[in-house]
Amino acid sequence: MTDEPVLDFLVPGDPQTLTGGYIYDRRITEGLFALGWRVSVHSLDASFPFPTPLALTKARTLLESIPTGRIVVIDGLALGSMPEPLADHANRLRLMALIHHPLACETGLSSVERKKLKDSEQRSLSVVRGVFVNSHWTKQQVAGYGVDLERIHVVPPGTDPAPLAGGSGSASLQLLCVATLTPRKGHAILFDALAQLRDRSWYLRCVGSLTRNVDTVRALRKQITRLDLTERVALLGEVTAEGLAHCYETADLFVLASYLEGYGMVHSEALSRGLPLVCTSAGAVPETVEANAALLVPEGNVAGFVYALAKVMDDRSVLTELASGARIARDNLPSWDQASAQFAAGLRALL
């Protein structure tokens, strides 16, 4: 390694995309730059993880253009779908994977798509020198693909310092969900549960892209209408940083019914503001969210969500206790500086 280590980082689509995985990539690369690394971020085609032939050709060309011996980190959204190009350069480049969660775990895949992704990702992982993951849960999933545990480095996401949420100050419980509207995030489960609690006083704001999965958004809008929740559920789409801060500031409870989380960055963002949570126990969530700050429900369980939400709505002392737990957890959250330093140390250890 030189005094000024050099890194090429490959990301599919727009690196500025406002989802957890892209935010993680962006903050880690910014942190490495601040630590003295010379980082070049390369944008691959947005068709990954189901790349077009042209997308794979461009990925090959990009890999060929990277000088021999260079460290190359590839986001898992692309890595799992390009085993042949990676194998061609495995002896020439120092290839690393960054896995947020295995591609085959995504909600809504057909059995054929799931098998294709699992086989492809396993072949891709077999040729890299090391793998970075965001949680111990993800580490175990990657190990299940035949990757030696010593080649897997856990670097949890960081959080930014944030003021404590002030709450709505209203008798009506203000709920906040921050997640792109995709099948994996389980909005339909949440809406079904809330429909059974119409007799309670609540209002839900959903922040997250309405364009990344238009079929899901269309189905959710129809569901909201069918359940007669149009006056009580707002789909805000993506909002500005100031708008998101306002949503957190005026929320009483964070809710998310996701089917899978490789870590749960929005969960830690809610905790950074001292917000209590009602969410699923899917994937790494129990690792991310301390039990005294949340009511955890099995994924896909409408009845469980009804019970947990009713418990908070009917007894505000439960909400107060969970908020106290969230404020304690807030003090133990890692920073992005710590995450970047861990990532840098992991790179050096894996080389």
Side-chain angles (χ1 to χ4, degrees), residues 189-210:
I189 295 293
L190 179 60
F191 296 168
D192 279 341
L194 287 170
Q196 299 183 44
L197 297 167
R198 286 194 201 86
D199 58 330
R200 274 76 162 187
S201 184
W202 56 265
Y203 185 79
L204 170 66
R205 289 178 292 190
C206 296
V207 174
S209 174
L210 303 176

Side-chain angles (χ1 to χ4, degrees), residues 41-100:
V41 177
H42 306 275
S43 180
L44 298 172
D45 191 81
S47 61
F48 285 96
F50 298 104
T52 64
L54 180 59
L56 280 175
T57 297
K58 289 183 176 180
R60 281 185 183 277
T61 301
L62 174 59
L63 288 170
E64 290 167 358
S65 72
I66 298 175
T68 297
R70 192 76 65 84
I71 305 166
V72 181
V73 177
I74 305 134
D75 183 277
L77 193 61
L79 175 128
S81 300
M82 48 192 292
E84 289 83 9
L86 293 177
D88 290 343
H89 294 276
N91 293 327
R92 191 179 70 80
L93 301 173
R94 293 185 280 186
L95 300 175
M96 307 287 181
L98 170 54
I99 305 297
H100 302 286

